[in-house]
Amino acid sequence: MTTDGTSFGRQISKARKAKALSQKELAAKIMKEEDGTAISPQYLNDIEHDRRSPTSDHLIRQFAEVLSIDEGVLFLLAGKIPDDIRSQVSDPAKAAEAFVNFRRAITN
């Protein structure tokens, strides 16, 4: 899958529109981990216009689930390594080697 130079926000906006959801409707489906309340439509608007980034892995996974987008794509677009993967890194040199291999794989 290619992201065609899109940003996290543009990908969210595109997927939301494809599902015929308003920003208010989508925001009501994305729950914050801290207190289980929905994000605000303004926060979603800021994300879609690349003024803000999602603050947690939980929110990225929520967007992926609600919008039927592969979460790996969203983590890539958000520029994040999921916390559960980052916490498993015991050898920084192996992680660096994996990034070199990743770069090779995506540019070939």
Side-chain angles (χ1 to χ4, degrees):
M1 160 151 201
T2 179
T3 60
D4 296 326
T6 195
S7 67
F8 183 90
R10 286 191 299 266
Q11 185 68 36
I12 296 301
S13 178
K14 179 180 170 185
R16 174 182 61 77
K17 290 172 184 174
K19 288 193 171 270
L21 294 170
S22 69
Q23 285 184 334
K24 186 175 180 179
E25 290 168 327
L26 177 57
K29 295 175 183 279
I30 306 297
M31 301 299 162
K32 293 184 265 184
E33 187 173 32
E34 308 81 51
D35 59 10
T37 62
I39 64 171
S40 71
Q42 182 57 51
Y43 180 61
L44 176 58
N45 184 275
D46 286 348
I47 287 173
E48 286 189 1
H49 288 92
D50 297 317
R51 292 187 292 262
R52 295 182 72 180
S53 297
T55 55
S56 70
D57 290 5
H58 175 78
L59 288 180
I60 293 171
R61 288 188 172 106
Q62 289 268 303
F63 280 115
E65 182 178 331
V66 170
L67 296 172
S68 303
I69 303 171
D70 183 289
E71 73 177 42
V73 170
L74 290 185
F75 275 102
L76 175 67
L77 292 174
K80 284 194 78 189
I81 298 171
D83 291 336
D84 59 324
I85 293 174
R86 191 174 40 250
S87 68
Q88 294 177 23
V89 174
S90 59
D91 183 350
K94 279 180 84 172
E97 182 181 340
F99 276 111
V100 168
N101 291 331
F102 172 73
R103 286 184 188 110
R104 281 189 196 123
I106 63 171
T107 58
N108 290 332

